[in-house]
Amino acid sequence: MFAYAGKILRVDLTTGKVSTEPLSEKLAKEYIGGIGLGIKLLMDNSKPGTDPFDPDNPIIYLTGPLSGTLGPTGGNSYAVVSKSPATGGIGNAESHGFFGPDLKRAGYDAVIITGKAPKLSYLWIDDDKVEIRNAEQLQYKTVKETDDMIRIELGDFYIRVSAIGEAGEKLCRFAAIINDEFRAIGRAGMGGVMGSKNLKAVAVRGTHDVNVANMDGFREFIKMIYERMKGPATKKYKTLGTPENVLVLNSLSALATRNFTNSQFEGAEKVSGEWLNEHYVKKIVGCATCGMRCDHIAVVPEGPYAGATSRLEFECLWSMGPLCGVDRLDAIIEAMRITNEYGMDGISIGVVVAFAMDCYENGVITKEQTDGIDLSFGNAEALIAIIHKIGKREGWLGNALAEGVAKAAEIIGGDAYKYACHIKGLELPGYDLRTLKTAALGFSVSFRGACHLRNGAYSPDVKGKVNRFKIEAGRGKMIVPDGHVYNVIDSLIVCKFSRGTYYDGNKDLANYYTLATGIPMEPDELNVIGERIENLARLFNVREGKGTRANDTLPWKIKNCPVPEDGPAKGVVVSDEEHQLGLDEYYAARGWDSDGVPTVEKLESLGLGEYAYIVKDRVKGGKA
Amino acid sequence: MVRAQDRKFVSADPEKCVGCVVCEYACSMTNDNTFNPAKSRIRALRLGPLNNIAVACRHCEDPACVAACPRDALRQEEDTGIIVVDEDACDGCAWCISACQFGAMMMHPDKKVVFTCNSCKDQEDGPQCVKWCPEEALTFVTAQQLAQKSRITAVKNLFQESKEKKAASK
């Protein structure tokens, strides 16, 4: 096989047993790699009802067919798939940087890790040599310290490490896995799954060649993509970066503020991309083999957080800034830095803190319960203090919040559920769903819970292509095709920031795939693969009791708290009626039944007939 | 006859380099027809996000690597300054690797002999890392040109600073 390593590695941490098996060309073509292959392998290697923190829940590392090549963004990627401790359904995340290519060069398309190591350990993959090593000296070390210490211990600066911090070790349900200091397998709590296996890190060194099928054609193709990356399609990421969204969304009344109470932030200017770049960004760097530059490295020049350095993107800036009512970028940069150190999801952490602040302001939790921290909206010191507590699971509140907002609301009780902004257990990303209603529908059906990266449904709203204040007829159908594209993107594992450089969409991506692998691929086939992955992910969620209409919900505040600001958005909420209408249409457009479950016919048409039993068992069991 | 000061080598501008290793992949693609940074003749290094640089052979005058070789396996080409490795004579002892202050001499993972930058002398348009660098951080330059560039930047900064001071005092 070209481009693929052609091999899957299995590691059982309980027994220490390591084995490999070939990756068939059929599986490679049907699921591409990345999350597609990951969801397939998770489905086939896990038992229904397994707790995400049970040793039997596999955590799967994946490369894509392009990993390890000079292909921009596809060359530098990897993905992780497991059952999510946040949602109980599919957990997936992708990360770029420098780690992925080494895993490919070491010779693996996938690494399926099961079991639980008897003591804290790390996995050392040195080409064909695979070793489970003691990591007790790394307990509670930050991600960065872990990375440094492992490379020193193994004596090679160029070893790449993908690690968890203290939060992952302590089973935080939104813990991340981080590589290259600030590149994260961020969402869905994959770091917690690592922690539950006593697995502190995966370290890898790959020295084998990666060869493509048609080197001349591949070279010309990627040269073209590198050139396009210098053009308008990636301009945003290279200039202000994603924090450009702060003022854009604010002007649209879509910058959720103070835990989705307001939709505009009076401090927006002070936390804008413009302000960030002028006062804090020291250098814009990038990942391996990429022609874009998006990593805006911010350094705090003075004040209590002087010297704090972190990469900062819109989503995390928003969650720890406007959503918490905080208008101080120095504190937000520090908050991001420590969030990375503990190894937590930078989106979820801000939503969790904002939830706690909302509870505090509404008298649901008391100052005694916060250990004396004044959790008022806008208190930057409190933001930092509570993140430390969550990272360490310190105190009653820190411990509860490390469970994520859905479970924390259950622990806190009372009205706390009203302030928990999540879908399926995953905290909302940075879009006010009351004023971006296509996004509301899209996020609610995403298989990994609240997510802007499963179908990009915010796009028609933000671009003014639809009436964004109303879910109208046609909206359910509208969000289907992009879901397929995003699944393909995450299976090739190309960066979503690069999506604008594939001018011819699937035609470009199919060509890219074939030049690399030598496996014929038509643009329409990619669409089918995207749909297959969507259905298989949904099936996994159905199997786990998380994949029906009852799970495709919206947070309480989105449905019950009208936008207070004057202007066109005043008074807007998402009504249950319009949301259900959107779901009806969406399920119909997908060929799913009225409960949102794929039909047997649909499964068979996608080559998923072997899983029809999941749908049939459900009907037999009579579950609604 | 090329004067020693006119020899060109690949140099990275630390202000522009972001450590993206595109140069490494471009090098192995060009010279070994594969993708493998371990076979690259230029290596990039990131010491934290703000400190990045790519390093390749600088074609030193009286090169330490050549002097260090106990088997006379290395020689420097007069015109280009390129260090040529006699792969039959080299036994991979790595004396030259210790001798090079830039880490520009490396062990080839398959051949087990040393290798270093050949300035892509078989390529019509010169070193391919320079062509592929997305930041235009790499240049194929002489030491004279590097010195001139630094001088020009220094003078520009000086006058820019004095201008800004004047403007501020107004």
Side-chain angles (χ1 to χ4, degrees):
Chain A
M1 282 171 108
F2 286 102
Y4 288 104
K7 207 161 56 179
I8 296 171
L9 175 67
R10 278 182 192 273
V11 178
D12 182 337
L13 294 168
T14 305
T15 62
K17 192 171 171 277
V18 171
S19 62
T20 61
E21 62 200 62
L23 171 74
S24 73
E25 189 170 312
K26 182 170 181 289
L27 207 56
K29 172 151 183 176
E30 282 176 357
Y31 293 94
I32 300 179
I35 72 160
L37 181 60
I39 291 166
K40 167 75 175 163
L41 292 175
L42 178 65
M43 189 72 155
D44 293 351
N45 288 278
S46 64
K47 289 192 196 78
T50 306
D51 188 272
F53 290 150
D54 189 285
D56 285 343
N57 180 29
I59 186 162
I60 307 171
Y61 271 64
L62 302 122
T63 53
L66 303 166
S67 306
T69 70
L70 181 52
T73 82
N76 60 35
S77 54
Y78 74 108
V80 172
V81 173
S82 185
K83 185 175 180 181
S84 163
T87 69
I90 282 287
N92 69 282
E94 308 79 45
S95 178
H96 295 256
F98 296 79
F99 177 87
D102 265 81
L103 187 56
K104 170 64 77 62
R105 279 193 294 278
Y108 308 104
D109 300 303
V111 183
I112 303 172
I113 304 168
T114 53
K116 179 179 181 177
K119 56 186 181 184
L120 194 64
S121 303
Y122 74 90
L123 185 63
W124 167 220
I125 301 173
D126 187 13
D127 284 340
D128 308 327
K129 205 183 85 202
V130 179
E131 198 185 336
I132 300 162
R133 292 176 65 97
N134 182 29
E136 285 168 305
Q137 72 283 9
L138 300 173
Q139 190 183 33
Y140 304 153
K141 295 291 180 199
T142 68
V143 169
K144 172 83 167 67
E145 287 165 345
T146 302
D147 195 324
D148 289 345
M149 286 172 73
I150 288 177
R151 287 181 298 137
I152 289 168
E153 177 177 305
L154 297 173
D156 184 346
F157 186 86
Y158 284 85
I159 286 167
R160 305 300 180 182
V161 179
S162 160
I164 59 171
E166 187 170 347
E169 287 181 61
K170 292 187 169 168
L171 307 187
C172 170
R173 287 186 191 269
F174 51 92
I177 305 170
I178 294 184
N179 57 289
D180 302 296
E181 212 173 317
F182 47 70
R183 284 265 156 205
I185 295 288
R187 303 231 72 194
M190 300 293 95
V193 179
M194 288 264 282
S196 74
K197 300 191 165 324
N198 264 339
L199 183 62
K200 179 69 175 170
V202 176
V204 62
R205 174 168 61 192
T207 70
H208 300 309
D209 292 345
V210 173
N211 292 311
V212 296
N214 178 348
M215 181 58 111
D216 289 339
F218 188 79
R219 185 194 296 117
E220 288 314 306
F221 181 83
I222 62 172
K223 195 182 260 177
M224 177 180 79
I225 300 295
Y226 273 103
E227 286 308 315
R228 288 178 184 177
M229 283 180 167
K230 293 175 184 169
T234 67
K235 182 167 171 278
K236 172 180 174 181
Y237 307 112
K238 291 179 298 190
T239 51
L240 287 182
T242 54
E244 181 184 298
N245 295 358
V246 171
L247 293 185
V248 173
L249 292 180
N250 199 48
S251 70
L252 293 173
S253 289
L255 187 71
T257 299
R258 284 178 285 273
N259 199 35
F260 292 87
T261 301
N262 305 91
S263 65
Q264 284 181 317
F265 184 39
E266 65 284 355
E269 288 282 347
K270 286 169 74 182
V271 297
S272 65
E274 288 78 355
W275 195 274
L276 176 74
N277 277 272
E278 194 177 331
H279 297 280
Y280 296 95
V281 172
K282 195 110 187 239
K283 186 158 182 167
I284 304 175
V285 301
C287 297
T289 59
C290 180
M292 300 182 287
R293 295 294 174 255
C294 68
D295 285 338
H296 290 58
I297 308 298
V299 182
V300 178
E302 57 191 7
Y305 309 116
T309 303
S310 183
R311 166 184 171 225
L312 201 56
E313 295 289 345
F314 165 72
E315 299 290 339
C316 307
L317 188 163
W318 159 81
S319 78
M320 296 185 243
L323 197 70
C324 293
V326 170
D327 64 0
R328 277 178 51 188
L329 272 172
D330 62 339
I332 296 169
I333 293 165
E334 169 67 2
M336 187 71 241
R337 186 187 71 81
I338 61 173
T339 297
N340 279 340
E341 283 201 346
Y342 286 112
M344 295 187 283
D345 174 349
I347 295 177
S348 287
I349 186 69
V351 181
V352 166
V353 174
F355 157 77
M357 287 178 162
D358 219 355
C359 286
Y360 183 79
E361 296 231 354
N362 283 288
V364 179
I365 50 176
T366 63
K367 201 163 186 176
E368 205 170 64
Q369 288 170 314
T370 67
D371 296 334
I373 299 174
D374 170 20
L375 273 179
S376 301
F377 281 121
N379 185 347
E381 285 83 14
L383 166 72
I384 308 282
I386 195 72
I387 292 176
H388 279 297
K389 279 185 172 292
I390 297 167
K392 294 184 200 295
R393 272 195 188 261
E394 198 178 84
W396 172 80
L397 186 61
N399 193 40
L401 294 178
E403 293 287 302
V405 294
K407 289 197 165 56
E410 288 172 20
I411 296 168
I412 292 167
D415 275 349
Y417 73 92
K418 292 182 178 173
Y419 310 111
C421 294
H422 70 91
I423 296 171
K424 298 186 177 72
L426 190 68
E427 289 76 15
L428 289 188
Y431 303 86
D432 195 324
L433 299 183
R434 295 170 298 184
T435 59
L436 303 171
K437 291 192 177 176
T438 318
L441 179 61
F443 289 19
S444 71
V445 297
S446 143
F447 58 72
R448 79 165 174 181
C451 182
H452 58 298
L453 295 172
R454 291 268 47 90
N455 43 41
Y458 57 90
S459 176
D461 294 328
V462 172
K463 288 182 178 160
K465 290 182 180 167
V466 295
N467 177 359
R468 62 191 170 90
F469 298 133
K470 197 167 188 291
I471 299 176
E472 296 167 317
R475 216 61 69 82
K477 201 174 172 189
M478 179 185 287
I479 60 175
V480 168
D482 272 0
H484 301 168
V485 175
Y486 278 38
N487 288 338
V488 169
I489 283 179
D490 288 341
S491 300
L492 287 166
I493 334 184
V494 292
C495 172
K496 292 205 177 76
F497 290 179
S498 76
R499 64 191 186 277
T501 63
Y502 311 108
Y503 296 168
D504 291 322
N506 273 355
K507 196 175 156 214
D508 273 345
L509 291 173
N511 189 21
Y512 202 174
Y513 179 84
T514 301
L515 289 168
T517 63
I519 300 171
M521 181 69 80
E522 295 300 323
D524 288 349
E525 285 180 279
L526 279 183
N527 191 44
V528 174
I529 292 169
E531 189 177 3
R532 181 180 299 129
I533 294 166
E534 187 73 33
N535 277 269
L536 189 59
R538 182 73 173 188
L539 266 186
F540 181 88
N541 287 354
V542 170
R543 193 187 83 175
E544 302 303 324
K546 306 284 180 188
T548 64
R549 188 185 283 260
N551 306 106
D552 296 340
T553 57
L554 288 167
W556 188 88
K557 285 190 88 166
I558 301 299
K559 294 189 291 186
N560 294 287
C561 265
V563 170
E565 285 93 356
D566 284 334
K570 188 174 171 71
V572 174
V573 287
V574 181
S575 74
D576 197 49
E577 193 187 342
E578 60 182 331
H579 184 225
Q580 298 306 326
L581 169 81
L583 290 179
D584 288 342
E585 266 200 351
Y586 177 78
Y587 298 155
R590 283 224 161 279
W592 293 355
D593 69 18
S594 63
D595 202 23
V597 175
T599 59
V600 173
E601 297 73 42
K602 176 51 83 178
L603 295 180
E604 277 168 356
S605 77
L606 292 167
L608 294 172
E610 63 179 302
Y611 299 111
Y613 74 91
I614 293 172
V615 179
K616 289 176 188 159
D617 284 359
R618 200 179 148 272
V619 176
K620 257 188 263 163
K623 273 182 274 178
Chain B
M1 174 74 195
V2 179
R3 296 171 299 180
Q5 69 264 37
D6 293 334
R7 286 175 187 156
K8 285 187 170 182
F9 56 92
V10 174
S11 176
D13 181 340
E15 293 292 318
K16 290 183 179 169
C17 180
V18 300
C20 74
V21 304
V22 165
C23 51
E24 296 183 355
Y25 284 77
C27 181
S28 78
M29 177 174 72
T30 306
N31 289 291
D32 285 82
N33 201 38
T34 188
F35 295 115
N36 192 346
K39 293 181 177 174
S40 171
R41 294 146 195 266
I42 180 168
R43 291 310 301 264
L45 192 73
R46 175 177 285 185
L47 287 174
L50 297 173
N51 302 308
N52 297 280
I53 194 82
V55 185
C57 176
R58 303 181 75 81
H59 302 170
C60 311
E61 186 71 1
D62 293 329
C65 55
V66 174
C69 181
R71 297 171 67 93
D72 290 335
L74 301 182
R75 69 179 173 85
Q76 185 168 39
E77 279 187 358
E78 189 81 21
D79 277 7
T80 61
I82 293 169
I83 308 296
V84 181
V85 182
D86 179 344
E87 294 187 354
D88 293 328
C90 175
D91 66 351
C93 75
W95 269 110
C96 57
I97 292 177
S98 320
C100 177
Q101 294 185 349
F102 303 98
M105 187 62 78
M106 286 158 293
M107 191 71 73
H108 195 283
D110 296 345
K111 297 179 188 166
K112 306 288 183 245
V113 295
V114 297
F115 70 119
T116 189
C117 177
N118 58 10
S119 299
C120 285
K121 61 179 177 181
D122 298 335
Q123 301 292 322
E124 271 175 31
D125 51 352
Q128 294 301 296
C129 54
V130 176
K131 301 288 165 206
W132 281 84
C133 177
E135 287 299 298
E136 295 171 10
L138 295 178
T139 42
F140 191 47
V141 288
T142 67
Q144 306 279 49
Q145 287 168 327
L146 276 184
Q148 287 170 15
K149 199 176 137 213
S150 300
R151 226 173 282 141
I152 291 166
T153 307
V155 174
K156 266 189 191 161
N157 287 344
L158 182 71
F159 284 97
Q160 188 62 33
E161 261 174 43
S162 61
K163 250 191 252 166
E164 276 165 11
K165 265 184 207 156
K166 264 184 211 163
S169 65
K170 266 177 199 169

